[in-house]
Amino acid sequence: MRRAAAARGGAGGARRWLPWLGLCFWAAGAAAARGTDNGEVLPESIPSAPGTLPHFIEEPGDAYIIKSNPIALRCKARPAMQIFFKCNGEWVHQNEHVSEESLDESSGLKVREVFINVTRQQVEDFHGPEDYWCQCVAWSHLGTSKSRKASVRIAYLRKNFEQDPQGREVPIEGMIVLHCRPPEGVPAAEVEWLKNEEPIDSEQDENIDTRADHNLIIRQARLSDSGNYTCMAANIVAKRRSLSATVVVYVNGGWSSWTEWSACNVRCGRGWQKRSRTCTNPAPLNGGAFCEGMSVQKITCTSLCPVDGSWEVWGEWSVCSPECEHLRIRECTAPAPRNGGKFCEGLSQESENCTDGLCILDKKPLHEIKPQSIENASDIALYSGLGAAVVAVTVLVVGITLYRRSQSDYGVDVIDSSALTGGFQTFNFKTVRQGNSLLLNSSMQPDLTVSRTYSGPICLQDPLDKELMTESSLFNPLSDIKVKVQSSFMVSLGVSERAEYHGKNHSGTFPHGNNRSFTTVHPRNKTPYIQNLSSLPTRTELRTTGVFGHLGGRLVMPNTGVSLLIPHSAIPEENSWEIYMSINQGEPSLQSDGSEVLLSPEVTCGPPDMIVTTPFALTIPHCADVSSEHWNIHLKKRTQQGKWEEVMSVEDESTSCYCLLDPFACHVLLDSFGTYALTGEPITDCAVKQLKVAVFGCMSCNSLDYNLRVYCVDNTPCAFQEVVSDERHQGGQLLEEPKLLHFKGNTFSLQISVLDIPPFLWRIKPFTACQEVPFSRVWCGNRQPLHCAFSLERYTPTTTQLSCKICIRQLKGHEQILQVQTSILENERETITFFAQEDSTFPAQTGPKAFKIPYSIRERICATFDTPNAKGKDWQMLAQKNSINRNLSYFATQSSPSAVILNLWEARHQHDGDLDSLACALEEIGRTHTKLSNIKESQLDEADFSYSRQNGL
């Protein structure tokens, strides 16, 4: 009774209640035998007796409570009459037990299994020196057995890592160690590493070890190890991600071997030689250091001047020979030719009769020879003279004819590929000496004595040139001969490839032999430093006009990449219009929406009320690195109210206009004039704008100071023209050939720095060696040219040479190096080109000379390909062979799809006039002139004659 009272007095609830299940008789006896008087209800053991003590088949295991879900503890024992749980030293109430009983068939003993649930509240309410624990106690007739103690803990995982991995930049083959200490948690979190969101398996890569205290160790860094690394911690409750650590494995640049020394730059006298090397062994990668030192070396050289030979005086006459002649000789030794000089001109010996006519012939005096023999000899001499005169006259006539032909303009008469390429002959042209076409030395004169032979197609003047080739020879090619394009060098149509042509020019049009020339920075002009710069239009002068009629033409904005092609018949007969074209040089009126970027200049063409019957072609340069995966490019037009509206997306299908996007320009077919511009919406961070970077320099007011100005502008000709115009007014000089920089849309800024300044000759003003430009300033395409200025100071006035490097680098992007090596003295500066003036002389071309394909040839091509063909060899095949594969529905709505395709070809090839490519396209299609059998030859001749009269031919 005392035991029950003690139990009631110490009970705080159901957990302290002793189960009373018929064991009181032996429990009371055991207590009396032990003589105890404490609160324990059940004895720890019963004296040994024959039988078996309870044996635990299953003991409770450690458990974790996840969130608010209770856990179940179980134990199983045999033989067992009863099993109860004791938690934290207190008995669990019998009502909280779930008991099952079974019989072990092999031994016949009772098997009892008991379950209890432990809640989160119970664990949280326990405050003890150790974790919450529970154990089983099993009874049998012979005594009790206790199980192991099972701990119960509340599982959790904190949010914040104790240490996040930190990004690193390491050289190649260096060691990388990324530390990670996961958040505190129960049970302890397991750590896994991710690279670019992919799990890292250290067992498959022996170079990587992840076993050392959750750290990631890369023994030897490789380029492929660059990436974003994340530490992932997880236990049974949750997963946690650390901040990503960016690892950049960089490669420092190394110099390649020096090239061979160049030839001396002067043919005679004192000059210089140079050799170069490149920072490509290896090239710097991922922000690695650029090579230190000079990339170009120069040394002086002296070339021996050529000495032409000269004759000595004639020697004495020799003894008279049996043939009644004596000789005398002279030598080319006064002086002898050397160092490549010319040999003496003329004969080295001469002979004459030495008997004054008294020579013996057949043992008779010469005056006794019969007159008939003398007459026969005279006849032979007479006939020989007449023959020589006839030959001379014939050669003269042929020479005059060939000369007149060579002075005439070239044209092309094409009906198919055989007409475009038929008839190849060899021509000789004087060419300038080969060299760097971009870096020209004003002291090096072109060698006009070098003759080069080019093989190219003879291009006949349109409509007919009866003197060179008859029309029948063009329209009756052999059907079994395959035409091959032998050379891409075109003799006519303005494609010169550095060759010099001399032909008659027509006022108002380009000469067919127009040679592409470079405008250069000239060293001998102080104000301005740039030669021919005065011919460049200023910002208020970027406008051009021309009067066009039914024959059409081409309007070109010099040095801007902007042009307008008015096709033949686009303007009705008896009408003419003054058409203008201009470029907005002020702040752009097109305000970007959101992430939209202006990629081209704003081009205006007019008059706006002009109506054309055939779409005209407008060419607009752009600065995007074209890729449909990264850019969504739109064509926009400004309304009369000044608002901009989208005309079409470049990738859209439309029948109102057509856009053909080339790497540096967009060719647009339109039917109305107005103001147009290209905008781009970057789809990914990999979208790239192309920037042109250039460095200019000039002396400041202080004679010891020298100013460097580094420009980063959109890679369009008109943008760079603004820079050149500004530098002209400031007296600047282009110091290095401009280069292209790919600028990513990844929001990282642009850094411009001056490196490798000679330490004891020059110094840079403090805090100006490195300048940073925000991303938005570069990306948004502000019209004002972006530039950074650097001020250098000479230690002494005797320093005249400046060499340094300009590094233009986007963080997490590309970089460019401008190598500056110049003289600050005007008379020692080298000439550096900055423009190829392709069409600056004649901005407006009218009539047939504006087109590369003659009108009669266009008409025959259109007549051939506009006709539907069962084999698919129609205008669609013509478009495909000319790389026009998109939005063909636009051409289907035109009255002559082939004519519109050829207009687009003219716009794309305005500078090269690559008729060879068109000839190849026609040859691949395999069309023959038999399709023209329905067109009478007389009609063709009449059309040609009518066209000739219209053009004054």
Side-chain angles (χ1 to χ4, degrees), residues 807-849:
C807 178
I808 303 99
R809 173 176 177 261
Q810 183 188 17
L811 300 179
K812 310 297 182 183
H814 297 84
E815 72 175 8
Q816 273 291 4
I817 300 293
L818 297 178
Q819 183 74 47
V820 176
Q821 185 172 3
T822 185
S823 171
I824 64 175
L825 299 180
E826 300 174 18
N827 58 354
E828 295 183 5
R829 289 178 183 148
E830 290 189 2
T831 303
I832 301 177
T833 62
F834 57 88
F835 273 133
Q837 289 184 334
E838 294 167 349
D839 298 311
S840 58
T841 308
F842 301 99
Q845 307 173 67
T846 59
K849 300 303 180 183

Side-chain angles (χ1 to χ4, degrees), residues 445 494 617:
Q445 300 300 324

Side-chain angles (χ1 to χ4, degrees), residues 341 432 556 833 902 927:
V432 297
V556 179
T833 62
L902 294 180
R927 296 298 293 262

Side-chain angles (χ1 to χ4, degrees), residues 410-413 419-425 427 456-460 468-469 491-492:
Y410 292 102
V412 180
D413 205 359
L420 281 173
T421 60
F424 289 84
Q425 291 190 11
F427 292 86
I458 295 180
C459 300
L460 303 182
L468 292 181
M469 187 178 292
V491 175
S492 66

